[in-house]
Amino acid sequence: MRSSTTLINSTEPITFFTILATSKQISQMLHLTKVCVGCLLSRRAVLALTNSGARMSSHDHHEVSNNLDVSQPMYSARVDTPLPDRPWKDVLDSTDKSLKQEKGPWTALSKEEKIALYRLKFNHTYPEMKRPSHEWKTVIGGMFIFFGITGLLVFWQCHYVYPPQPHTFGEEWQAKQIQRMLDMRINPIEGFSAQWDYKNKQWK
Amino acid sequence: MFRPVVRLSTSGVRSLTRTRPCYSAPSASRCYSHAKVETDEEFDARWVTYFSKPDIDAWELKKGMNTLIGYDLVPEPKILDSALRACRRLNDLASAIRILEAVKDKSGPHKDIYPYLIQELQPTLIELGISTPEDLGMDIL
């Protein structure tokens, strides 16, 4: 987190790849920890990611970030692990009735009851687990924001930091320099002077 | 345990689950491993036996399914049948539906594997009263 804030505030040239990596990292970090980095991106990212991802705020049996006990079996929503270590809902209140029904013949259950039993044990179905997220928009957007900020920094630097151009860059000087190079026959066989038509005094 | 990595073939429905390993028996003079290769039938039989344990517990079911899904193959109907019956013994309908979802996901881009599996498992599904995710409307978002 510290390294990313120093990166934003520095006025050193920032490469495109660093920006890309940083914005992606920030999106991922925000997705996991929801800590505000203190920049424009964080507010947008938090808004964008609030409803995506399996946050368990509506279920009282999971406590995230402070009291998550990783020494106990944990629920995981992974397509390569169909049966996680623990069911989704541990504490059952009015859903106790459904529990008894699972012991009897399953042909006696209605579709809604079967769905309810599934939802007790699993948070998301496979299609829900594999649904596409909108995270890429945050990443690309953040990337472009950083490009823009860098562009502004570079523009400011060109205007205020760079010293004046050497006098040898001027039009007049350049013209005199070219004429001198032609007079000296610089690279007359295959290079510079070879391109000049000396008879007709023009470029070939 | 030596297990060859096999790929899902696209030729025909029957051979969709696994192909045979394509190297020959160790008669060449190269330094191939001399470990015995398990045939497909032995693999299937081993897993059917695993899930057929009468007093299988929930952990063993979870471990078995997660391991099976970890392999680079779609399990044969008979293995799934054995696993679904294990779910029945454990009074776990949710896991049974989950297993069906998992094998559908395992088939990946081969869209004809899952209907074949359901067709083969139909007698078991009817007997045990397991609805497929499609019946319950859980195959769409």
Side-chain angles (χ1 to χ4, degrees):
Chain A
M1 210 68 76
R2 258 184 65 86
S3 61
S4 50
T5 44
T6 36
L7 210 66
I8 294 161
N9 293 329
S10 81
T11 53
E12 288 162 13
I14 306 171
T15 64
F16 283 168
F17 292 120
T18 322
I19 295 166
L20 209 152
T22 315
S23 58
K24 176 79 179 150
Q25 268 174 18
I26 287 179
S27 303
Q28 282 177 347
M29 285 193 290
L30 289 165
H31 187 73
L32 289 171
T33 66
K34 288 260 171 96
V35 175
C36 184
V37 189
C39 70
L40 218 120
L41 173 62
S42 69
R43 246 164 280 134
R44 276 188 66 234
V46 166
L47 275 165
L49 299 169
T50 312
N51 296 324
S52 68
R55 303 323 288 163
M56 289 90 74
S57 51
S58 57
H59 299 279
D60 50 5
H61 63 294
H62 272 295
E63 285 132 350
V64 206
S65 69
N66 287 334
N67 306 329
L68 187 61
D69 187 359
V70 295
S71 68
Q72 297 299 316
M74 289 168 64
Y75 180 83
S76 59
R78 299 174 55 108
V79 290
D80 60 3
T81 310
L83 304 176
D85 296 337
R86 53 170 281 185
W88 175 240
K89 283 213 177 96
D90 260 356
V91 281
L92 304 146
D93 34 33
S94 61
T95 42
D96 267 351
K97 204 162 65 115
S98 327
L99 244 192
K100 279 194 216 111
Q101 289 180 343
E102 214 172 10
K103 294 205 164 54
W106 292 338
T107 42
L109 295 171
S110 73
K111 282 194 184 169
E112 289 73 26
E113 286 164 343
K114 289 181 183 174
I115 296 177
L117 283 169
Y118 182 94
R119 289 290 176 186
L120 273 186
K121 236 179 170 223
F122 303 110
N123 184 18
H124 286 313
T125 66
Y126 265 68
E128 285 167 9
M129 269 196 277
K130 296 169 73 169
R131 73 187 181 279
S133 82
H134 298 280
E135 191 191 3
W136 67 273
K137 296 177 196 165
T138 311
V139 172
I140 300 289
M143 231 170 73
F144 287 139
I145 286 180
F146 279 112
F147 289 164
I149 294 171
T150 310
L152 288 174
L153 280 175
V154 169
F155 178 75
W156 174 89
Q157 179 186 315
C158 286
H159 197 270
Y160 286 105
V161 176
Y162 286 174
Q165 266 195 346
H167 61 99
T168 52
F169 277 72
E171 280 292 333
E172 246 188 68
W173 187 281
Q174 284 287 319
K176 286 197 244 170
Q177 181 173 307
I178 291 173
Q179 184 57 56
R180 184 176 149 85
M181 283 168 73
L182 289 171
D183 294 341
M184 285 162 63
R185 304 292 196 272
I186 297 290
N187 294 338
I189 298 153
E190 289 200 4
F192 191 75
S193 305
Q195 310 290 334
W196 179 255
D197 187 352
Y198 281 91
K199 279 224 177 56
N200 303 328
K201 293 214 187 340
Q202 62 187 12
W203 290 108
K204 288 186 186 164
Chain B
M1 184 200 60
F2 177 66
R3 180 102 196 99
V5 172
V6 290
R7 314 210 129 254
L8 299 172
S9 85
T10 52
S11 59
V13 173
R14 274 280 159 187
S15 59
L16 273 170
T17 47
R18 277 198 311 276
T19 57
R20 292 211 152 260
C22 45
Y23 46 81
S24 57
S27 57
S29 61
R30 299 290 182 88
C31 299
Y32 293 143
S33 161
H34 293 288
K36 189 168 174 306
V37 180
E38 187 182 48
T39 64
D40 292 350
E41 290 76 22
E42 286 167 356
F43 177 84
D44 293 345
R46 195 160 53 81
W47 276 101
V48 168
T49 316
Y50 178 90
F51 285 118
S52 306
K53 191 170 128 174
D55 53 348
I56 195 172
D57 65 26
W59 185 92
E60 284 174 353
L61 172 70
K62 276 198 304 249
K63 174 69 180 170
M65 269 325 298
N66 292 338
T67 310
L68 192 60
I69 294 297
Y71 292 147
D72 183 18
L73 50 86
V74 181
E76 286 275 336
K78 50 175 156 349
I79 303 179
L80 296 173
D81 173 80
S82 184
L84 293 174
R85 287 183 192 282
C87 288
R88 173 67 265 191
R89 289 199 292 284
L90 289 162
N91 298 321
D92 195 351
L93 173 64
S95 295
I97 302 173
R98 189 74 157 184
I99 289 173
L100 294 176
E101 279 192 306
V103 298
K104 179 175 185 183
D105 178 63
K106 251 339 248 195
S107 338
H110 305 275
K111 296 283 177 230
D112 39 0
I113 298 183
Y114 180 69
Y116 163 70
L117 289 173
I118 293 297
Q119 173 202 317
E120 293 291 312
L121 288 170
Q122 204 58 260
T124 310
L125 295 178
I126 294 174
E127 179 198 329
L128 298 177
I130 302 172
S131 307
T132 64
E134 288 71 33
D135 287 341
L136 301 173
M138 295 199 306
D139 57 328
I140 45 162
L141 282 170

